[in-house]
Amino acid sequence: MGPIGIFDSGYGGLTILHGIRQLLPEYDYLYLGDNARAPYGPRSFDVVYEFTRQAVVKLFEMGCHLVILGCNTASAKALRTIQQHDIPKIDPERRVLGVIRPTAEVIGSLTHSRHVGVLATEGTIKSESYNLEIQKLHPDIVVSGVACPFWVPLVEYNEADSPGADYFVKKRIDEIMRKDPEIDTLILGCTHYPLLMPKILKYLPAGVRVVPQGEYVAESLQQYFVKHPEIERQCSKGHTARYLTTENTDKFKEQAQMFLHEQVEVENVTLG
């Protein structure tokens, strides 16, 4: 038995971890942030795949039987290849899941107009992963996406509440609503974006629903365990969470405080 691994290129996956721990607090968790090589958003498919594969292998080596890619870019650019190509060779009994599919599954029950918007990093928008997953499950839904290149730095430089953030948030909200005025549901397709929620709600037209991913990924994991008890049995239950980073541990502690509102202990690891 071992912990549930949560991987992200940076800090955003902490919002996914927080959502999962709220619903499933009894399990052990091991969070790995590849902060030294973040952000993944502008990187090529090949580079994101290789970095993500290294992180998954590291978490497997540290005892995880299940790894969740709490990163939209990694889920969009690397998940399928790792599931189909790497897992059969590494260990067919282990599993890697992403954050896009759970959001796509739930979106059909949230939108009434059947017009959905996605705000995400450049890499996630270019991959069209949300479009493909949503259309696969809900062919009648129209999906429009807009990249928000400055939103992650706003969060990571602790500027999410600053007056300067208003310009960048309003600009992208206006852009996506111009693209499709019928949008009634907006997916935050990057795990950093929930920290901009006050600004997003400020500029979003009345009646448009915002979908942060944490709670939906958590509910999807709970259902996954019901369907796959053999995986659930491999996940240890000690109510613990450990944190690993490829970057400076003090910097990670500072950022984690902002995402989790608690003090954490952090260890340094090397990937590659």
Side-chain angles (χ1 to χ4, degrees), residues 2 32 79 94 126 140 254:
L32 169 56
L79 176 63
R94 303 199 188 219
K126 277 186 176 172
D140 62 317
E254 189 182 307

Side-chain angles (χ1 to χ4, degrees), residues 99 135 177:
V99 291
Q135 306 251 272
M177 295 312 298

Side-chain angles (χ1 to χ4, degrees), residues 115-162:
H115 288 254
V116 169
V118 180
L119 297 176
T121 64
E122 184 185 0
T124 299
I125 295 298
K126 277 186 176 172
S127 75
E128 297 197 329
S129 294
Y130 274 99
N131 307 51
L132 295 168
E133 284 293 341
I134 291 171
Q135 306 251 272
K136 207 186 297 175
L137 298 165
H138 315 285
D140 62 317
I141 292 180
V142 177
V143 183
S144 302
V146 164
C148 307
F150 293 104
W151 285 23
V152 169
L154 283 172
V155 171
E156 296 209 343
Y157 287 101
N158 210 10
E159 295 290 329
D161 297 324
S162 71

Side-chain angles (χ1 to χ4, degrees), residues 212-233:
Q213 295 174 299
E215 63 187 276
Y216 297 112
V217 172
E219 287 168 11
S220 178
L221 179 59
Q222 190 177 46
Q223 291 162 15
Y224 181 85
F225 280 156
V226 172
K227 292 176 191 166
H228 300 276
E230 75 284 1
I231 303 295
E232 193 277 337
R233 283 194 294 270

Side-chain angles (χ1 to χ4, degrees), residues 176-196:
I176 198 153
M177 295 312 298
R178 270 198 311 273
K179 205 168 186 181
D180 184 356
E182 290 186 62
I183 287 170
D184 73 346
T185 307
L186 190 63
I187 296 169
L188 301 185
C190 172
T191 50
H192 282 70
Y193 295 178
L195 273 76
L196 289 162

